[in-house]
Amino acid sequence: MNGLKERIRQLRSLLRRRGQSRDDADDLIQEAFLRLHIYCQEEEVQQQDAFLTRTVLNLLVDTHRKAHRDLYSEEPIESLSLIDIRPTPDEDFAVSERLIKVAAVLDELGPRTREIFLLHRVEGVGCAQIATRFGISLSAVEKHIARAVLSLMDMVEHQ
C-alpha cells in the first residue's frame, strides 16, 4: 500500500510542477489508473510506473489542448491568409523624412554637442563616462544633452 501512496504522491508532484491544482492532478491520476486497469485487461504492462507517468502526461496535454482549442485553427495552413506587419511604403517614407530632419538638426549642433548626445542617447554611454572622456564636468555634459534635446523638440513642434 505504501508503494501505491508513494506513486500517487510522485505523480501528483509531477503534475503540480506543471501547474495543475491538487484536485485537477488527482483527477488526471485517477484517469491514468483507470486506463492502466483497462489496458491490463487485454495486454500485459511490464513497467506500470512508466505507463502511468506517460499516461498522466498525455492526459495533461489533452486537457491543455481542450482548454485552448480556440487558439488552433482547423484550416490547413495553406488556406490561411498571412498579415503583413511590415510598415507600408507611406510609413517608410514618413520615417525616412523624419530621420532626414533629425540628421539635419543634429548637423546644426556643434560637433561636441552632437557627439555627446549620440554617445548618451544612441550608444547608451553614461554622463559620468562622457564627462571623463571629454575632460569636462558632469553639468557640462548634461547641458550638451539638453541643448540637443531642445533642438529636436523644436523640430517636432514646427512640423
Side-chain angles (χ1 to χ4, degrees):
M1 188 59 108
N2 278 343
L4 179 62
K5 285 183 180 181
E6 178 61 21
R7 186 66 194 135
I8 291 171
R9 189 192 64 72
Q10 290 170 347
L11 291 170
R12 186 180 293 131
S13 176
L14 174 71
L15 292 169
R16 299 280 288 153
R17 285 193 308 267
R18 285 176 168 73
Q20 295 299 299
S21 69
R22 183 181 174 95
D23 289 340
D24 290 341
D26 287 345
D27 289 345
L28 292 174
I29 293 166
Q30 181 178 354
E31 178 68 22
F33 272 99
L34 177 63
R35 289 186 183 201
L36 173 64
H37 176 73
I38 292 169
Y39 191 80
C40 285
Q41 302 297 318
E42 304 278 329
E43 302 287 332
E44 182 179 347
V45 177
Q46 297 294 325
Q47 296 181 350
Q48 290 186 356
D49 285 346
F51 183 96
L52 285 169
T53 301
R54 185 75 265 156
T55 302
V56 157
L57 291 174
N58 288 345
L59 289 168
L60 179 62
V61 169
D62 291 345
T63 302
H64 177 76
R65 284 184 183 147
K66 286 176 188 171
H68 297 92
R69 186 173 292 150
D70 59 324
L71 298 177
Y72 303 100
S73 175
E74 297 293 325
E75 297 179 53
I77 195 163
E78 294 81 18
S79 69
L80 297 175
S81 60
L82 299 176
I83 299 172
D84 188 359
I85 59 172
R86 291 178 296 181
T88 65
D90 290 340
E91 292 169 329
D92 276 339
F93 180 74
V95 168
S96 296
E97 287 294 308
R98 278 185 293 226
L99 287 174
I100 290 169
K101 289 178 183 177
V102 167
V105 168
L106 293 177
D107 285 342
E108 291 173 5
L109 299 173
R112 180 175 265 192
T113 300
R114 180 178 47 252
E115 188 175 1
I116 289 172
F117 175 77
L118 292 174
L119 281 171
H120 182 65
R121 292 295 174 102
V122 176
E123 296 183 28
V125 178
C127 292
Q129 290 174 310
I130 294 171
T132 302
R133 183 183 296 184
F134 285 91
I136 58 177
S137 70
L138 188 59
S139 175
V141 170
E142 291 168 347
K143 287 177 185 173
H144 282 288
I145 294 169
R147 189 175 304 120
V149 169
L150 287 173
S151 297
L152 290 170
M153 287 173 58
D154 283 345
M155 177 206 69
V156 169
E157 287 177 7
H158 293 101
Q159 281 189 4

